Amino acid sequence: MARPKIHDEALRLRLLDRAGELLSAEGPKALSLRKLAADVDTSTTAVYSLFGSKPDLVNALFLEGFRRFAGRMCTVARTGDTIEDLIELGKVYRISAKADPHLYSIMFTKAVPGFEPNEEAGKLAASTLDPLLEIVRDGLARGVLADHPAELIAVSCWGFTHGLVSLELNGNLPPEFSASGAYETALRANARGWLRE
């Protein structure tokens, strides 16, 4: 069967998803452009045409992960209830991580030693905390949350959520921890801990 000649967006996404799977499952040494091309039934020329080089491919993986993540985080409708909004954002964080676990490691770990995202990717990654910061700043402005810097509250909530999700993705949660039910209960307890007394 002839390999596809069209280097379109669908091929680019297939290559990124497969590259993420290889990286996530087997580590950075498995991320060979030749193997990647063969796995997706295309040519190495197509990989070079779409990404340029292996470092550019890794940057594209990082960028794609955060694009998908940002898109999901922005879908959370604001209710005006700070605690409920924080919980919904945390739930979507988990949904996003579970939808793209093969991208999660490149986004939040040093999966590829020495990799540093380019400026565009770095800015996008940093901006994905904006919905969380907006909820926290609103809660502070309305006197709902305790008087702490917005960044402290936001990063603490993110760290708590990220920790639980990472444990789940890596299979490190105890069996009696019902991920969906206990996860929401834990998010609620954490968010309530930031309420003004």
Side-chain angles (χ1 to χ4, degrees), residues 33-34 43-54:
L33 299 186
R34 184 181 307 270
S43 65
T44 53
T45 302
V47 179
Y48 284 110
S49 172
L50 286 165
F51 302 107
S53 67
K54 189 172 176 179

Side-chain angles (χ1 to χ4, degrees), residues 4-180:
K5 301 278 189 216
I6 299 172
H7 306 157
D8 60 7
E9 181 65 6
L11 176 60
R12 188 184 80 80
L13 291 175
R14 284 199 335 269
L15 285 164
L16 286 174
D17 280 328
R18 182 60 187 144
E21 289 164 0
L22 286 169
L23 186 60
S24 179
E26 301 175 40
K29 290 182 181 176
L31 195 55
S32 149
L33 299 186
R34 184 181 307 270
K35 176 173 177 30
L36 175 62
D39 284 1
V40 179
D41 194 28
T42 192
S43 65
T44 53
T45 302
V47 179
Y48 284 110
S49 172
L50 286 165
F51 302 107
S53 67
K54 189 172 176 179
D56 292 332
L57 171 65
V58 174
N59 193 75
L61 267 172
F62 183 89
L63 195 56
E64 183 63 25
F66 276 105
R67 277 190 186 128
R68 293 179 190 183
F69 179 69
R72 290 183 186 109
M73 296 299 273
C74 289
T75 66
V76 177
R78 306 291 158 69
T79 67
D81 182 323
T82 302
I83 300 304
E84 293 307 315
D85 289 351
L86 287 172
I87 292 164
E88 284 306 307
L89 202 61
K91 287 163 60 177
V92 170
Y93 186 101
R94 178 175 178 255
I95 288 167
S96 186
K98 290 183 67 143
D100 293 310
H102 58 291
L103 299 178
Y104 195 77
S105 66
I106 187 74
M107 293 164 63
F108 295 115
T109 70
K110 296 289 184 188
V112 178
F115 166 70
E116 291 295 330
N118 69 15
E119 186 177 349
E120 176 193 9
K123 283 181 180 176
L124 177 62
S127 74
T128 58
L129 277 182
D130 289 349
L132 175 57
L133 276 165
E134 289 167 13
I135 293 169
V136 169
R137 287 181 179 135
D138 179 65
L140 286 167
R142 291 186 298 108
V144 174
L145 298 177
D147 191 21
H148 295 289
E151 291 76 12
L152 170 65
I153 297 172
V155 170
S156 296
C157 289
W158 171 46
F160 181 83
T161 302
H162 176 76
L164 285 177
V165 168
S166 296
L167 287 170
E168 180 180 2
L169 289 180
N170 291 312
N172 293 324
L173 287 174
E176 62 275 7
F177 191 96
S178 165
S180 58

